[in-house]
């Protein structure tokens, strides 16, 4: 994550407080302003918001959904399977029929090349990696992990480490299954590993950790080599501990560069911990969310344990869709070229949000935000105790944000400051307006909060 993360640093003056004429300007840290000056700023924001209210807006910055132009990039995929012959796999299997639990070979190869995972560790699932993650946790609850351990669900209270802010749906899985969540702070390099170790290495009830290791949701952090190595070399107190490695944004660079993420399997193997890793990914944000292909990857021992259970759950997943993806892309390079086209559409959207933030909030010391190099989100921190008010105010003006608190376990952001902005879905002009509304809400709420504190 770029920029400072600790809101306390926001109170440090960084710009002159008074302009040459001695009047209030925006190039000052608001915490240094007089009540009168803050009142003027509050009134100005309120007037702008009143004008926006009259526009009857219905804008949505909530979920990270691809926009229409992004979906259109994959429309050609709908036409690549036109005959029975198109459904015959290289293994002679007819994809229209039952057969093969873990995916057709050419699809395994495609993901293997794309993600750098040996084919034999991959199984191809259905349309959603979240579904695979949910099923994986449930399987651990009901059947335990490989190695003859007691099912998690019979071990009393169990816990997961939840790097926060993080992905709300990971937290929802824990909540649904009664798994206690331990928030651990995210740093610019990944989860705070000192805190992770303090829990994982001492408490046998800690069974898992959620990781979005590349362009994390919502902060866009890519774990450093050090963090990956430390995760891979953990010596958990629980013998049935697992790392849930949700590499949802593995190939989702926004710029023409490759952002490096260390190979968790290689690092875990070097440390004798290969069985600790459950890896997930999908094409939801490559082709069609909800109609993509999801994968799980795991060690041979883990797969040997998982597959018979999976085989009772399904006879097999959608192989025609696997074939559709293989035929459309041809190779991992085909996917990489396709992702550059996604980036060309997404980049201006991210940059629009960032430029409105800079214009309307820059230098005021009332908010800070990330400058992601990839992924789907911008993470915005308001001053402490302001995010919920901003969320509600934006909602009343017709701008939907992901609910304040959602990026933390139990919906509880201890500092009530984090908001997740998803720029992908709205058109550019809508995005500009929606971000402007959010900024003016932040200006209004911040001015009021500082006046209350003065
Ligand atoms: N994992 C992360 C980190 C996500 O942000 C998302 C969607 O936003 C998902 C998983 C969902 O992926 P899928 O559509 O494959 O279930």
């Amino acid at each position: 994550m770029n920029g400072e993360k600790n809101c306390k640093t926001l109170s440090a003056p960084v710009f002159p407080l008074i302009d040459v004429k001695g009047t209030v300007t925006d190039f000052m840290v608001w915490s240094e302003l007089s009540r009168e000056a803050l009142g003027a700023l509050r009134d100005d924001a309120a007037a702008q918001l009143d004008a926006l209210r009259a526009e009857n807006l219905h804008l949505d910055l909530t979920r990270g959904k691809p926009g229409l132009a992004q979906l259109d990039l994959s429309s050609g995929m709908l036409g690549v399977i036109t005959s029975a012959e198109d459904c015959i796999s290289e293994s002679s299997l007819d994809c229209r029929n039952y057969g093969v639990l873990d995916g057709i070979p050419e699809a395994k190869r495609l993901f293997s090349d794309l993600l750098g995972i040996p084919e034999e560790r991959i199984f191809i699932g259905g349309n959603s990696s979240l579904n695979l993650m949910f099923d994986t946790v449930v399987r651990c609850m009901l059947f335990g992990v490989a190695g003859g351990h007691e099912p998690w669900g019979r071990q009393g209270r169990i816990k997961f480490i939840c790097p926060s802010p993080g992905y709300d749906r990971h937290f929802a899985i824990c909540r649904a299954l009664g798994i206690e969540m331990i928030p651990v702070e995210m740093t610019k390099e990944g989860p705070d590993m000192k805190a992770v170790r303090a829990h994982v290495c001492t408490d046998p009830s800690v069974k898992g950790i959620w990781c979005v290791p590349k362009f994390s949701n919502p902060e866009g952090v890519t774990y450093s080599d050090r963090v990956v190595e430390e995760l891979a070399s953990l010596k958990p107190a629980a013998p049935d501990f697992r790392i849930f490695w949700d590499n949802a944004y593995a190939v989702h660079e926004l710029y023409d560069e490759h952002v490096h993420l260390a190979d968790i399997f290689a690092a875990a193997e070097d440390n004798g911990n290969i069985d600790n890793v459950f890896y997930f990914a999908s094409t939801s944000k490559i082709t069609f969310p909800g109609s993509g292909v999801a994968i799980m990857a795991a060690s041979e021992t883990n797969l040997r344990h998982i597959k018979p259970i999976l085989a009772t759950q399904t006879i097999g997943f959608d192989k025609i869709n696997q074939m559709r993806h293989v035929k459309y892309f041809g190779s991992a390079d085909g996917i990489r070229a396709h992702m550059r086209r996604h980036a060309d559409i997404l980049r201006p959207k991210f940059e629009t949000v960032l430029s409105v933030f800079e214009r309307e909030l820059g230098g005021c010391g009332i908010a800070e935000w990330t400058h992601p190099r990839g992924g789907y989100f911008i993470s915005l921190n308001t001053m402490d105790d302001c995010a919920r008010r901003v969320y509600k105010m934006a909602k009343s003006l017709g701008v939907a944000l992901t609910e304040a608190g959602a990026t933390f376990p139990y919906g509880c952001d201890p500092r009530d400051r984090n908001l997740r902005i998803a720029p992908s879905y709205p058109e550019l002009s809508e995005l500009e307006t929606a971000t402007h509304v959010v900024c003016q809400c932040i200006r209004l709420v911040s001015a009021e909060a500082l006046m209350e504190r003065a």
Side-chain angles (χ1 to χ4, degrees):
M1 176 179 130
N2 293 350
E4 289 296 326
K5 199 168 169 293
N6 186 341
C7 275
K8 284 195 180 126
T9 60
L10 294 171
S11 59
V14 284
F15 288 106
L17 298 184
I18 303 291
D19 74 5
V20 282
K21 293 185 217 84
T23 56
V24 172
T25 78
D26 269 1
F27 294 106
M28 64 185 64
V29 173
W30 285 22
S31 60
E32 306 290 333
L33 295 178
S34 66
R35 274 186 75 81
E36 293 68 38
L38 288 167
L41 289 165
R42 178 202 54 200
D43 293 347
D44 174 64
Q48 298 215 37
L49 289 171
D50 277 345
L52 289 160
R53 196 182 302 280
E55 290 186 28
N56 227 343
L57 301 169
H58 291 284
L59 301 171
D60 193 335
L61 296 175
T62 56
R63 299 231 74 91
K65 289 195 330 191
L68 296 182
Q70 287 180 270
L71 299 178
D72 286 345
L73 289 178
S74 301
S75 290
M77 205 174 77
L78 299 172
V80 293
I81 299 217
T82 55
S83 66
E85 289 77 56
D86 288 334
C87 295
I88 307 299
S89 155
E90 65 184 35
S91 59
S92 305
L93 180 96
D94 188 337
C95 293
R96 299 171 305 170
N97 216 333
Y98 284 138
V100 178
L101 176 70
D102 58 357
I104 57 175
E106 49 270 70
K108 283 189 187 174
R109 196 162 58 244
L110 181 67
F111 286 106
S112 167
D113 290 347
L114 187 68
L115 301 170
I117 302 170
E119 278 170 55
E120 56 278 11
R121 290 206 186 122
I122 294 179
F123 88 74
I124 317 244
N127 68 329
S128 154
S129 61
L130 188 70
N131 186 183
L132 291 177
M133 289 180 249
F134 180 86
D135 280 351
T136 301
V137 180
V138 169
R139 225 174 12 246
C140 295
M141 297 291 283
L142 290 177
F143 302 101
V145 305
H149 302 283
E150 188 82 356
W152 288 356
R154 286 208 217 119
Q155 295 189 36
R157 196 168 66 144
I158 65 157
K159 303 172 192 159
F160 259 54
I161 305 292
C162 299
S164 304
Y167 179 35
D168 52 346
R169 291 180 189 265
H170 288 161
F171 305 154
I173 292 177
C174 285
R175 203 149 187 195
L177 298 173
I179 298 172
E180 187 179 323
M181 290 180 267
I182 304 175
V184 157
E185 205 180 321
M186 279 291 284
T187 74
K188 285 182 216 166
E189 284 191 64
D192 172 358
M193 286 308 297
K194 202 163 163 231
V196 169
R197 267 194 309 276
H199 292 289
V200 173
C201 302
T202 61
D203 182 351
S205 68
V206 175
K207 301 296 184 192
I209 179 170
W210 291 113
C211 296
V212 183
K214 188 160 172 182
F215 307 134
S216 69
N217 177 348
E219 291 184 299
V221 169
T222 297
Y223 292 12
S224 69
D225 289 359
R226 182 186 65 81
V227 165
V228 174
E229 174 61 27
E230 290 190 26
L231 282 163
S233 61
L234 277 173
K235 297 285 171 240
D240 49 355
F241 173 85
R242 291 293 183 268
I243 296 168
F244 284 70
W245 198 252
D246 177 5
N247 204 3
Y249 301 107
V251 288
H252 298 62
E253 273 83 355
L254 282 171
Y255 295 86
D256 192 13
E257 62 186 356
H258 170 70
V259 175
H260 162 81
L261 170 68
D263 181 342
I264 184 74
F265 276 124
E269 195 158 30
D270 287 348
N271 286 283
N273 284 335
I274 187 83
D275 294 338
N276 283 6
V277 181
F278 287 153
Y279 187 123
F280 305 89
S282 80
T283 68
S284 285
K285 283 154 189 175
I286 295 175
T287 57
F288 302 127
S291 301
V293 174
I295 68 135
M296 179 172 176
S299 70
E300 199 189 318
T301 307
N302 281 330
L303 287 183
R304 222 180 306 116
H305 173 76
I306 290 169
K307 281 186 189 172
I309 304 171
L310 198 66
T312 60
Q313 195 180 351
T314 177
I315 301 171
F317 296 98
D318 182 349
K319 297 183 295 298
I320 295 179
N321 201 28
Q322 293 172 27
M323 189 59 105
R324 198 178 282 127
H325 280 70
V326 169
K327 282 195 182 296
Y328 187 57
F329 290 119
S331 67
D333 275 345
I335 298 187
R336 289 190 194 101
H338 180 82
M339 292 313 289
R340 285 194 285 279
R341 292 191 275 278
H342 274 287
D344 288 343
I345 296 168
L346 281 173
R347 206 180 318 107
K349 295 190 174 187
F350 275 73
E351 288 177 351
T352 294
V353 172
L354 293 173
S355 75
V356 177
F357 282 169
E358 196 52 53
R359 191 176 69 218
E360 303 195 15
L361 302 173
C364 304
I366 55 174
E368 58 180 2
W369 52 90
T370 55
H371 295 78
R373 305 299 296 181
Y376 261 65
F377 303 101
I378 295 168
S379 180
L380 175 83
N381 282 336
T382 64
M383 295 194 314
D384 285 10
D385 304 317
C386 289
R388 223 165 263 285
R389 279 158 78 184
V390 169
Y391 161 79
K392 282 190 190 145
M393 193 177 285
K395 189 174 177 189
S396 75
L397 284 143
V399 175
L401 294 171
T402 302
E403 190 162 0
T407 52
F408 283 77
Y410 307 104
C412 174
D413 174 356
R415 294 176 64 177
D416 182 25
R417 63 172 186 164
N418 188 246
L419 291 168
R420 186 183 80 169
I421 309 292
S424 55
Y425 191 72
E427 293 305 322
L428 273 181
S429 60
E430 296 174 336
L431 204 52
E432 173 113 25
T433 308
T435 312
H436 174 52
V437 170
V438 173
C439 289
Q440 291 307 315
C441 292
I442 291 173
R443 287 172 70 96
L444 177 49
V445 168
S446 306
E448 282 179 351
L450 287 167
M451 288 169 80
E452 282 160 21
R453 287 173 205 180

